Amino acid sequence: MNALQYWLEKHLVPVAAKIGSQKHLVALRDSFVGMMPATMVGAMATLISVLIGSVPAAVQQFVQRGASDGSWTLSHTPVFEQLAGISNVVSQGTLTVIGLIFAFSWGYNLSKAYKVNELAGGIVGVAALISGLPNILSLATAGLSEKAMTTVNNNIAAQGIATWKMGISVAHMDSGAYFAVILMGGVAVVIYAKLMLADITIKMPDSVPPAVSKAFLAIIPTIVSVYAVSIVYYFIKVWTGNDMIFLISKYIAEPFQALSQSLVSVLIVTFFVSLFWFFGIHGTNVLGPVLDSIWGPLQLANMEVYNKVGLQGVNDLVAKGAIDKAHAIDGNFLTLWVRGSWDAYSSFGGTCGTLSLIIAILWFSKRDDYKTVAKLSVAPGIFNINEPVMFGMPLVLNSLFFIPILLAPMVSVTIGYVATVLHLVSPVVLSVPWVTPPFLNAFMATGFDWRAILVTAVSFAATFAIWFPFVVAANSLKEEV
């Protein structure tokens, strides 16, 4: 064990430390974290809309004082009807354009990493995304007769929009744009940052207000960066006949996301998150860019489907095999394992399921030092904060607990994965704050599927069984410590 620990400390820890401090990856992680207000608001709006639109029939009848014609729903009731409508508007401004929000967040944080004007960097990120989106209006009107074109123009003008203004499909601004934003937006912002650092800018006299001066400094770098990616967009379209965002989605995003659904991929990520934690490195942060860029968009896509069809519709789609794009039904499909699945079925008390360890210590440990740390860790653990127990016992670099730190989360993840794949529980369809207590987290994340509580209970019991013998073994070391 000591030899293995020495080898890992020598070869793995330095690599993990470099990854964790690499400025591009840190910026990517911070970009996803920075979007949390938008994703949480969107999740709340989705939840409200679904609950109002799918209140159980028994409750409906109770509110109706016995009416049973089935025509009444909360969505057609004063106050609730308006609340549902407002929630749909909120969803439109958050989840529907989450890719656009991410473009700004990515540009802002990447510019911050390079220590240049962050606001201008966010604008460059947005411009880089919009520049690469197809003109849907042109596609829709191609080949129409003059009479038909007149009708189209009249309809557009009736909306207060000038004719032939670029028409961009909002469908390209959701989470499906993430990979395009990361690649093309990243290129644009790096070009912008490099030019800013090289001082290829327009300098204004000192008498000019600072805000104006900063804006002028960013003009040349912004022009060059946006033109650079636009040139790529243009020639890719000319040479292939397809837009860049489509090619990135088809040949980069979709293969990665397909691979993400294998148990092997899920376990590999779980293993390394736990392994990094053992050495005192925040594994979730180190692998955050991978988790959020691959599994994150899949969770948001699930949320959109849940908003359309509700929990019963989700279960019907899964039962019919609509679990990937190739088997979509009416354009709808679910992804079985997403970013929030780890939080639902494995991270109770934090990474490695340490809340079950805390209970095992309070129940079976004879060591006063462990019990003291466990008592102090209960409250944070309920909200999935595990630093007190990780560094207080400590678990970090504690060879006695090396095996359960790795094994416990892999077992709980496997249980959640198998239960989801076998349709014993609905897939995760809502974004829930990671500080939501265990059991409630899974219940909410699955769209209030009560079976998620049972699956979490099985996972919790399994991790408890793994931690328990090592807690007992630690009792025999009491005199040596």
Side-chain angles (χ1 to χ4, degrees), residues 397-464:
L397 292 176
N398 187 336
S399 57
L400 175 63
F401 293 102
F402 178 72
I403 292 177
I405 281 178
L406 297 180
L407 183 60
M410 294 180 72
V411 169
S412 59
V413 161
T414 300
I415 291 171
Y417 180 93
V418 171
T420 306
V421 169
L422 295 181
H423 309 166
L424 301 178
V425 66
S426 301
V428 169
V429 292
L430 285 175
S431 292
V432 179
W434 61 272
V435 292
T436 304
F439 298 94
L440 179 60
N441 187 308
F443 180 53
M444 294 176 62
T446 54
F448 299 93
D449 186 346
W450 62 270
R451 297 174 298 177
I453 298 175
L454 299 182
V455 175
T456 305
V458 173
S459 296
F460 195 95
T463 57
F464 178 87

Side-chain angles (χ1 to χ4, degrees), residues 266-285:
V266 172
L267 289 179
I268 288 174
V269 172
T270 305
F271 173 82
F272 279 104
V273 167
S274 304
L275 185 62
F276 291 154
W277 263 113
F278 176 77
F279 290 102
I281 299 172
H282 200 301
T284 308
N285 280 353

Side-chain angles (χ1 to χ4, degrees), residues 372-395:
T372 299
V373 172
K375 290 175 182 177
L376 294 173
S377 302
V378 170
I382 291 174
F383 297 98
N384 304 319
I385 299 170
N386 68 346
E387 277 80 359
V389 69
M390 275 287 185
F391 297 100
M393 287 183 57
L395 292 178

Side-chain angles (χ1 to χ4, degrees), residues 166-372:
M166 183 178 183
I168 300 172
S169 171
V170 177
H172 288 291
M173 296 186 193
D174 62 8
S175 58
Y178 278 14
F179 274 82
V181 169
I182 292 171
L183 295 175
M184 301 308 295
V187 169
V189 175
V190 168
I191 292 174
Y192 154 79
K194 293 289 187 181
L195 293 175
M196 289 287 286
L197 294 173
D199 206 22
I200 304 176
T201 59
I202 299 174
K203 296 180 177 63
M204 302 298 289
D206 294 339
S207 58
V208 175
V212 177
S213 181
K214 286 179 68 176
F216 270 88
L217 283 173
I219 288 177
I220 292 177
T222 299
I223 291 173
V224 175
S225 60
V226 176
Y227 257 92
V229 294
S230 296
I231 288 170
V232 174
Y233 290 144
Y234 176 81
F235 282 106
I236 289 293
K237 177 72 172 180
V238 170
W239 294 335
T240 68
N242 291 307
D243 294 286
M244 188 73 171
I245 192 169
F246 168 79
L247 297 176
I248 291 174
S249 176
K250 183 175 179 60
Y251 296 108
I252 298 179
E254 290 183 11
F256 270 112
Q257 290 172 345
L259 289 173
S260 74
Q261 294 308 292
S262 73
L263 179 59
V264 173
S265 299
V266 172
L267 289 179
I268 288 174
V269 172
T270 305
F271 173 82
F272 279 104
V273 167
S274 304
L275 185 62
F276 291 154
W277 263 113
F278 176 77
F279 290 102
I281 299 172
H282 200 301
T284 308
N285 280 353
V286 172
L287 292 176
V290 176
L291 291 165
D292 292 326
S293 61
I294 295 179
W295 283 276
L298 298 175
Q299 178 164 326
L300 294 177
N302 275 8
M303 198 184 308
E304 291 181 6
V305 175
Y306 176 70
N307 191 23
K308 292 180 186 176
V309 302
L311 182 59
Q312 186 56 51
V314 165
N315 291 333
D316 290 342
L317 287 171
V318 172
K320 294 175 181 177
I323 56 174
D324 54 46
K325 189 174 182 179
H327 299 91
I329 298 175
D330 296 329
N332 296 320
F333 67 94
L334 277 299
T335 303
L336 297 180
W337 192 265
V338 297
R339 177 65 182 87
S341 301
W342 276 279
D343 296 335
Y345 300 121
S346 178
S347 299
F348 23 78
T351 305
C352 306
T354 48
L355 187 58
S356 56
L357 166 64
I358 292 171
I359 293 175
I361 291 173
L362 294 175
W363 200 347
F364 296 103
S365 180
K366 297 179 181 179
R367 295 182 53 160
D368 292 335
D369 54 343
Y370 278 13
K371 284 190 173 184
T372 299

